[in-house]
Every structure is written in structure tokens, then in C-alpha cells.
Amino acid sequence: MGAPVISSIRAVYGAVWKYRTFMRFVADRQLAASVHRTMFGRAWFLLIPLAQVLVYYFIVVVIFKTHANFEVDPIVTIMMGLMHYALLVNAASFAVPAIQDNEGILLQIRIEPLVLVAIGFWKSLRISWLAIIAFFLLYAFRGPAPGPEMAAYPLVLGAWILLCWVGSIFIASLSVFLRDLNRLVPMLIQFAMYLSPVVYTLSFVGEDWRHLYLANPIAAGFALFQWTLLWEV
């Protein structure tokens, strides 16, 4: 039973690899079309998350006055969380219509549906790398001195990308049967952010609740990001 399943998985991912040039071409064209004739062009992919950083900084630090609860500059913590969380937000938003809006293509062309999901995921990666680079520019000036924990960052980032990819497949598949997902996903993603240490540190969560809290894979992922980059656990 295991051999046919493994063979099917290999065939599906083999199709994704076969169409990799096509996927990049379509993703790049769609991204370019989304900002065509706008004043700032692709800079919007960075300006939007930067605006979110300023909004949450104002809410968390200025309004609620929680500056003393952060061991690192709050703007670094908030930007680290939001810039990495942007990958999940973008991956989920592109996954919902990936299969649902391209049913006509699947009826006309023999192509694995996973290829369409991969196109959306590639777009989310293309957008998110700008945000992560912007974070590291700020990190270089305002962040703590790098420690040995930072060596684990590539592994944590890789695990986060894998989690977002698996989530994209799940959301795209479920959206075929549940059309309401295009309205539910944005709310669920926002709710998940508040249940994870994205705009606050893990130290905000009481010790009695921390084990249950970290059962959330998104929360666990950002706890690892904070450990590798901010030395906070």
C-alpha cells in the first residue's frame, strides 16, 4: 500500500518540477499585472507590510505601553514577526483561488492541480523575500548582536516555508469543496496571528499556559524565530 502512495507523490512532484519554467513565467506575469500602471509598482509588495508594522507598533507600544516587556527593541520584534508571517498570509491568499478559479484550465489541459498551487506559492515567495530582506536591514542596525542560535535560523526558515507549503495544498484542496473559504481564510489567518507570538514575544504568555500555547505549530514556529534572532524564549 505504501509503494503506490510514494509512487503517486513522486509523479505529482515530478509534474511540478517539469513545469517549473512555466510556473515561474506565469507567476512573474501575474505579479507584474497586479501592479501594472501603479505609481509604486512592485514596491507595494514591501510598502504594505511596512505599513502594518507601523500600525502594530503604534497599537502594541504606544497605546498599550508595553515597551518595557520587550527585551529587544519592539520595532525589531514586531517587524520580525510580521515580515515572516507575510509568507503565510500570501501563501493562503493565493492558495484559495489556485484550483477553484482555474477549473476551466484543468478541463482543457492535462496538468496536475498541484502545479497551479505551486504557482501561487511561488508568487508568495517572490513577494515575501523583499519583506524578509527589509527586516534584516533593520536587524543589522537595531537588533541584538548575533549569537550562536542564529546558525539555526536557516533550518527554522526552511521548516516555516515547508509548513506554509503544506498549508497551501490543504487550503487549495479544501476550497474546491468549500467555496466559503475565500471569506473564511482571511479571518482565520488574522485569528491565528493573535494566537501566536508574531507582534509580541513568548514571554507575554504565562508559564502555566505555555505548553498548550506552543501546541499551535504557528506559535511554535515564531517562538523558534524569536529564539534564533532575538534570543527570547
Side-chain angles (χ1 to χ4, degrees):
M1 186 68 180
V5 172
I6 294 174
S7 178
S8 297
I9 293 174
R10 286 178 176 173
V12 170
Y13 279 93
V16 172
W17 178 253
K18 177 183 176 181
Y19 285 99
R20 63 189 184 280
T21 303
F22 168 76
M23 287 163 36
R24 288 197 297 267
F25 173 77
V26 173
D28 290 344
R29 288 292 298 270
Q30 290 179 350
L31 288 176
S34 68
V35 294
H36 179 59
R37 300 182 68 179
T38 61
M39 183 179 296
F40 297 106
R42 292 178 183 256
W44 278 116
F45 300 145
L46 181 59
L47 292 175
I48 291 174
L50 285 176
Q52 291 176 328
V53 170
L54 295 177
V55 169
Y56 279 104
Y57 180 85
F58 182 77
I59 294 172
V60 174
V61 178
V62 178
I63 294 180
F64 289 102
K65 302 184 184 303
T66 58
H67 188 282
N69 295 335
F70 289 85
E71 296 181 20
V72 178
D73 190 334
I75 193 69
V76 174
T77 301
I78 293 171
M79 191 169 181
M80 187 275 298
L82 288 175
M83 294 312 188
H84 288 84
Y85 198 71
L87 176 59
L88 177 61
V89 174
N90 293 323
S93 63
F94 288 134
V96 172
I99 300 175
Q100 187 183 109
D101 291 357
N102 292 290
E103 292 176 343
I105 295 176
L106 294 173
L107 293 174
Q108 297 175 38
I109 305 173
R110 188 174 181 179
I111 187 174
E112 286 290 344
L114 191 64
V115 172
L116 300 175
V117 180
I119 290 172
F121 192 70
W122 178 254
K123 288 192 293 184
S124 67
L125 288 174
R126 289 293 304 272
I127 293 174
S128 300
W129 76 267
L130 291 171
I132 294 175
I133 288 175
F135 159 70
F136 275 105
L137 289 175
L138 177 69
Y139 184 83
F141 293 98
R142 303 290 296 271
E149 297 87 350
M150 196 173 184
Y153 173 76
L155 295 176
V156 177
L157 180 61
W160 178 243
I161 292 173
L162 179 61
L163 178 64
C164 292
W165 168 240
V166 172
S168 294
I169 298 173
F170 177 76
I171 292 171
S173 303
L174 192 59
S175 67
V176 175
F177 306 99
L178 186 61
R179 298 284 176 158
D180 296 322
L181 270 188
N182 60 342
R183 293 174 175 81
L184 288 173
V185 164
M187 293 187 293
L188 294 174
I189 291 295
Q190 192 75 15
F191 187 63
M193 188 187 79
Y194 296 136
L195 290 179
S196 307
V198 177
V199 296
Y200 56 88
T201 65
L202 188 61
S203 60
F204 279 59
V205 182
E207 292 284 350
D208 295 339
W209 295 96
R210 195 166 294 182
H211 292 293
L212 179 62
Y213 179 83
L214 291 176
N216 170 12
I218 299 176
F222 278 89
L224 287 173
F225 276 130
Q226 291 180 4
W227 172 68
T228 58
L229 297 174
L230 309 178
W231 308 0
E232 295 190 11
V233 290

